[in-house]
Amino acid sequence: MILKLNDKTLLTSKNYSNGHWIDSDDGTLLEVINPADGKLFAQVARCGSSETNRMISAAHEAQKKWSQSLVKERAYMLGNWFRLVMENKEDLARILTQEQGKPISEARAEIVYGASYIEWFAEESKRVYGDTIAPPSNDKRIMVVKQPVGVVACITPWNFPIAMLTRKIAPALAAGCAVVCKPANATPLSALALVVLAERAGFPKGLINIVTGKTSEIGAEMTSNKLVRKLTFTGSTPVGKKLMSACSNTVKRTSMELGGNAPFIVFDDADLDKAVSGAMISKYRNAGQTCVCTNRILVQHKIYDEFVSKFKSECEKLVIGDGQKETTTIGPLIDSNAAEDVKSLIEDAKIKGARVELGGNICDLGDNFINPTILSNINTSMRVFNEEIFGPVAPIIKFETENEAIELANQTDFGLAAYFYSRDIGRVYRVSEKLEFGIIGVNEGIISNEMAPFGGIKESGNGREGSKYGLDDYLEIKYVCVGGINE
């Protein structure tokens, strides 16, 4: 593992179980490939059901004591972890870019973003409030208390390997839960480095466990083990549905942050330059591999040609290349299969009448690179309209009226994020209320932050991450009725 780091101990090939760094039981290893050059970067332990089972048991024991800890203690340790992550931001960013491919500037931003959830829930841990409710009679008192749900299984994706993990671990720990986490096999090193720092922060053994390797075995153990009381997953809708079904056998609590098909609507009264800027950052961040990124750009007919011209001009400024280079603004896709999937979406659109305004092909830098692409003359039969693209492809659709834009935007089974640009205050309220999505960005292309509830509706999932609501998914509500008060 050749990578210039200030702290080389952040790179590890082992999994973390009950406070110990372990190899897999059978000694097998998982390969980690650098998507920028397709070369082997590292190998990590390839664990399975037996290792996962032991981690769950350890988490169950650790959670018993942790749930009784003072909230000040939880806040203190989470605060320690936050500071360590920020102090090691550059090393973490280097590791992230090497295994995931995103530009180093975006990787640094992700570290800060991920750390913000640790800081936020360190503070929110002190604000788990219950209620006293008016009783039905004078001899009774009614109390409502919130208690940790128990052991939490976390499964996270490769597109934001740091932030997706802290968004789950931090609220779980803050609520008094223990965790067993399965990061994506493509990006395990970021998660392991993060837990190196968690160990230094002083968390008790067994409280945080990281398992990498045999996905189907690990998932089956997490969903079937009765000691796991909640499963939280970020990833595709088909996989999320399977996990929800498997969790039903033991009636686990689930939180699902699934696929998206975000519309980006530009009305004719919008500030066009700001709309173009917002569309650029929403569409091409992380090479379009973002669940909330713009998937379909809807532009009102009067400004359509001008928008396409300005948008194309900005896209031509993007610098595609290895994410470790400071000048790179758009990196590779995670692997060649992802690139082929995106290419097939482009070909489908072309066959059905789309016009390629820019790009439309694999870059000569390698099989994992897709040139930033703009497609016009889009219709609703095309896959780029109906499916999550997860690549640097921007389909642009012309619309006539506000109602048509809303209808087109809502014409999807997904409901994660949506964006629109308008300076009409009445339209801002109307459209915000009619769009069937869990997150709405108005005159804003970047909407994620730790203070706001992140999550979708329809087939984009359930539950919310971040904000004051973020602890609720890790807490059970208990009603206590005390009788005999007047005896």
Side-chain angles (χ1 to χ4, degrees), residues 30-31 162 275 344:
L30 174 73
E31 293 186 341
I162 291 283
S344 72

Side-chain angles (χ1 to χ4, degrees), residues 294-412:
T294 292
N295 217 62
R296 303 164 290 155
I297 300 177
L298 313 178
V299 183
Q300 203 154 15
H301 65 104
K302 291 181 181 179
I303 58 169
Y304 181 86
D305 291 338
E306 186 180 1
F307 178 89
V308 172
S309 176
K310 286 177 176 287
F311 188 64
K312 180 179 178 180
S313 178
E314 289 301 310
C315 287
E316 289 171 341
K317 298 175 184 178
L318 293 170
V319 179
I320 190 168
D322 188 332
Q324 294 288 1
K325 296 180 180 179
E326 295 288 348
T327 55
T328 295
T329 55
I330 188 165
L333 299 192
I334 190 64
D335 56 34
S336 58
N337 289 332
E340 286 300 319
D341 287 343
V342 173
K343 188 177 178 181
S344 72
L345 289 170
I346 297 171
E347 291 305 311
D348 172 81
K350 288 165 62 177
I351 289 169
K352 293 174 180 175
R355 183 168 56 251
V356 178
E357 301 285 348
L358 183 71
N361 55 353
I362 290 179
C363 175
D364 58 11
L365 288 174
D367 291 343
N368 297 351
F369 290 88
I370 294 280
N371 282 315
T373 297
I374 301 173
L375 302 175
S376 62
N377 198 36
I378 301 298
N379 63 61
T380 58
S381 71
M382 296 174 183
R383 291 175 60 199
V384 290
F385 182 88
N386 296 291
E387 299 178 23
E388 188 172 28
I389 298 171
F390 241 58
V393 179
I396 307 181
I397 304 137
K398 186 185 296 185
F399 70 88
E400 299 290 330
T401 67
E402 179 181 307
N403 286 338
E404 183 189 2
I406 294 169
E407 184 178 348
L408 286 168
N410 289 338
Q411 194 174 322
T412 175

Side-chain angles (χ1 to χ4, degrees), residues 31 50 72 113 125 147 158 175 193 270 320 349 356 376 386 450 459:
E31 293 186 341
S50 58
K72 285 188 175 181
Y113 174 55
S125 64
Q147 295 180 318
W158 48 262
I320 190 168
V356 178
S376 62
N386 296 291
E450 76 278 13
E459 292 193 16

Side-chain angles (χ1 to χ4, degrees), residues 410-425:
N410 289 338
Q411 194 174 322
T412 175
D413 291 331
F414 301 102
L416 185 53
Y419 310 83
F420 70 92
Y421 275 67
S422 173
R423 287 180 286 192
D424 181 329
I425 188 63

